Amino acid sequence: MVRLFNVYYPLRSLLLLCGEAFVICSSFIFASRIEYGADSYLVLNFEYGYYKILAATGIAVICSHYCDLYDPERLTEGRLTYFRIMVVLGIFSIILAALGFCFPRFMLGKHALLLGLVILTVALIAWRSSYAWLIRRPYLTERVYVLGDGELAQRLVHAIQNRPDLGMEVVGRAETLSNEFEARKTLESNIAAILKNSPRINRIVLAMPERRGTIPVGQLLALRLSGVKVEDAITLFEKISGKIEIDGLYPGWLILSDGFRTDSTFVTSRRVISILISLACLALVLPLIPLIVLAIKASSPGPVLYRQKRVGRNGVVFECYKFRTMRSDAEADTGPAWAGDDDPRITPVGRILRNIRLDEIPQLLNVLIGDMALVGPRPERPEFVEWLSQEIPYYTLRHVIRPGITGWAQVNYKYGSSVEDAREKLKYDLFYIKNLSFGLDLVTLLYTTKVVFLGRGAK
């Protein structure tokens, strides 16, 4: 795993991305050399030819990202992957054609561009086929042994098995017993077997809920010194899933783990950036606001803006602003309630606004006031916070920073409408708070554009 912008990425995923960028760039360079022969250097150097190729490479990679070609869960889709590649190439060709029409100097050369697209089609399919073959090689797979058989261990094993991009294979799992003496003896015998075959084990993961008096420290140290990685299950879970498991999480891990630290300079800088970006966004959407106001007024009676009490930083309650998307009497009979699938309370115009997230525009005012940030845990209603704090451990930790218009949980999980959904989203929120940084904010904003563009997670 490689850490970039405080997010962990599998080395295989970075290899896929870098290899694909190299293939795209090389295809157009090769096409130019075929068309112009010995004089190709004149074409590539004339009017920033290499920069044009790099720009085209960036556009192709972004198209692949939006079409989920780098999504870890879709790497084993086989033929569907090749279909997505053809879709990406079609979109890529349309974008290049539009840019060439609007900005003729952007064109590398008509024939070189067409030839490059042909070469790229063949090269991308060949690269993806080679990559799929390569990641299945056993000598490139990290063998993992899990010490523990509880719920946390089962979730960890399931997560590893569903992520072929990790390059990990669970080769064994040790049973833990309730009796402290028997549990220690069992672990010692299992680790003794591992030591005997240490070249075949690369990582040991501790996934036991109760460790006091049961962990054979001496044997684990011997394994560690022999080159075998020894890691806590919650730490590994954080790396491979982008969230922190709260079941089995003990306070000592939160206290001693790296992260959960902010300083005044960082907080101030982040606040200034949020204000500047909010002002820029308000300027961009200003022409749309009168149209939205007219559409809301024409679709249903009631106010245009909807004010709702939400819980912010340090538990302070504030008024969150949104464009109204429901009937004005939506909660007259039910009281506070989450929106559901095909919720009848949502107006036709409101559904459109929700799908493209235009109902969130007034929250930019909350950012300017200081109640919210651009990125952070989504603020929840006081009624739900009181209830969820009793049902979910560590729930109040999400209030240590300002809530956000978008967040790490919003780009990684669906809309929440139950306690289990709230529990799952808290895991992502804790990861975000622990790894808070400008880089993670940037990654979250980039993922947000994809979620909005594809209309995911809206209700």
Side-chain angles (χ1 to χ4, degrees):
M1 303 289 288
V2 179
R3 192 178 189 185
L4 297 173
F5 303 115
N6 277 15
V7 181
Y8 292 93
Y9 297 96
L11 187 59
R12 293 183 174 199
S13 297
L14 296 178
L15 172 64
L16 174 63
L17 177 62
C18 294
E20 202 145 289
F22 176 78
V23 166
I24 297 167
C25 192
S26 300
S27 297
F28 287 107
I29 294 176
F30 189 50
S32 297
R33 295 194 179 279
I34 290 177
E35 182 174 358
Y36 300 103
D39 296 329
S40 62
Y41 72 94
L42 296 175
V43 178
L44 293 173
N45 291 322
F46 179 68
E47 292 188 319
Y48 309 103
Y50 279 112
Y51 291 105
K52 294 177 182 178
I53 291 176
L54 288 175
T57 301
I59 294 171
V61 169
I62 291 172
C63 290
S64 297
H65 168 66
Y66 273 85
C67 289
D68 293 332
L69 276 173
Y70 304 126
D71 190 337
E73 297 178 358
R74 300 181 185 273
L75 292 180
T76 57
E77 287 185 333
R79 293 181 180 178
L80 187 56
T81 297
Y82 300 116
F83 173 76
R84 291 179 184 275
I85 290 175
M86 301 309 295
V87 172
V88 166
L89 290 171
I91 297 172
F92 178 54
S93 302
I94 293 173
I95 293 175
L96 290 185
L99 287 174
F101 179 78
C102 298
F103 309 99
R105 296 185 65 180
F106 181 82
M107 295 289 288
L108 183 64
K110 181 179 179 181
H111 296 96
L113 191 60
L114 293 175
L115 183 58
L117 288 170
V118 173
I119 296 173
L120 178 59
T121 302
V122 177
L124 272 182
I125 293 175
W127 162 244
R128 284 282 177 159
S129 300
S130 302
Y131 176 81
W133 176 86
L134 184 65
I135 64 174
R136 288 196 296 266
R137 299 307 93 195
Y139 49 80
L140 295 178
T141 300
E142 184 179 24
R143 298 170 65 83
V144 179
Y145 193 93
V146 179
L147 294 180
D149 60 350
E151 186 178 348
L152 177 62
Q154 292 173 8
R155 286 201 303 272
L156 178 63
V157 171
H158 181 72
I160 293 175
Q161 291 173 342
N162 287 340
R163 289 283 304 275
D165 61 309
L166 295 174
M168 294 181 179
E169 178 189 4
V170 179
V171 296
R173 192 166 65 183
E175 179 183 3
T176 54
L177 304 174
S178 56
N179 182 279
E180 182 178 308
F181 177 76
E182 292 181 357
R184 184 179 179 87
K185 286 297 183 182
T186 301
L187 290 177
E188 286 179 350
S189 63
N190 278 280
I191 292 177
I194 295 172
L195 284 169
K196 186 177 180 181
N197 302 285
S198 58
R200 296 182 59 80
I201 299 295
N202 307 107
R203 186 189 299 261
I204 291 181
V205 183
L206 304 178
M208 298 168 292
E210 182 56 53
R211 302 177 186 179
R212 183 175 300 176
T214 61
I215 296 180
V217 178
Q219 288 182 310
L220 287 177
L221 180 60
L223 282 171
R224 180 71 179 84
L225 296 176
S226 68
V228 177
K229 298 176 184 176
V230 180
E231 195 167 21
D232 182 83
I234 294 177
T235 301
L236 180 58
F237 225 123
E238 177 192 1
K239 293 179 180 179
I240 68 178
S241 64
K243 59 185 179 181
I244 295 176
E245 283 294 319
I246 57 176
D247 297 319
L249 179 64
Y250 46 95
W253 187 91
L254 294 170
I255 295 169
L256 299 175
S257 63
D258 185 29
F260 294 110
R261 292 193 300 268
T262 57
D263 57 74
S264 58
T265 303
F266 172 78
V267 171
T268 303
S269 302
R270 187 168 178 265
R271 173 75 183 131
V272 171
I273 292 174
S274 291
I275 292 174
L276 293 176
I277 295 178
S278 297
L279 290 172
C281 290
L282 279 173
L284 287 174
V285 300
L286 193 60
L288 293 176
I289 293 178
L291 300 176
I292 295 173
V293 170
L294 288 174
I296 293 173
K297 295 296 288 185
S299 64
S300 63
V304 172
L305 279 181
Y306 178 64
R307 295 176 174 85
Q308 192 176 69
K309 293 189 180 299
R310 298 289 178 106
V311 178
R313 185 183 183 186
N314 298 325
V316 176
V317 177
F318 68 97
E319 279 197 338
C320 181
Y321 303 113
K322 294 180 70 173
F323 282 127
R324 184 174 58 83
T325 58
M326 291 187 175
R327 302 190 316 266
S328 56
D329 61 344
E331 294 184 342
D333 298 327
T334 63
W338 279 308
D341 294 322
D342 300 321
D343 197 313
R345 300 174 300 168
I346 302 175
T347 64
V349 170
R351 194 169 301 281
I352 296 172
L353 294 178
R354 282 174 173 251
N355 285 338
I356 54 181
R357 303 305 201 284
L358 291 180
D359 61 320
E360 312 283 358
I361 289 175
Q363 289 176 36
L364 293 171
L365 298 176
N366 287 115
V367 176
L368 297 178
I369 293 171
D371 295 326
M372 297 177 65
L374 281 176
V375 183
R378 283 294 293 166
E380 194 53 88
R381 302 175 68 170
E383 299 88 350
F384 294 149
V385 168
E386 183 179 357
W387 171 40
L388 295 173
S389 298
Q390 298 173 0
E391 299 290 330
I392 305 173
Y394 306 106
Y395 188 81
T396 55
L397 290 181
R398 68 195 306 275
H399 300 135
V400 299
I401 63 173
R402 285 187 178 93
I405 296 178
T406 184
W408 187 244
Q410 277 61 50
V411 299
N412 284 284
Y413 195 72
K414 62 183 182 178
Y415 177 88
S417 57
S418 67
V419 176
E420 286 306 313
D421 287 338
R423 180 188 297 270
E424 196 65 24
K425 295 182 84 168
L426 176 64
K427 298 175 184 179
Y428 290 104
D429 288 334
L430 290 180
F431 175 91
Y432 174 78
I433 295 169
K434 177 179 181 290
N435 298 282
L436 187 63
S437 67
F438 291 121
L440 183 54
D441 282 350
L442 178 61
V443 172
T444 304
L445 290 172
L446 290 175
Y447 284 174
T448 300
T449 61
K450 178 180 177 180
V451 171
V452 173
F453 179 76
L454 298 177
R456 293 175 175 172
K459 282 198 180 183

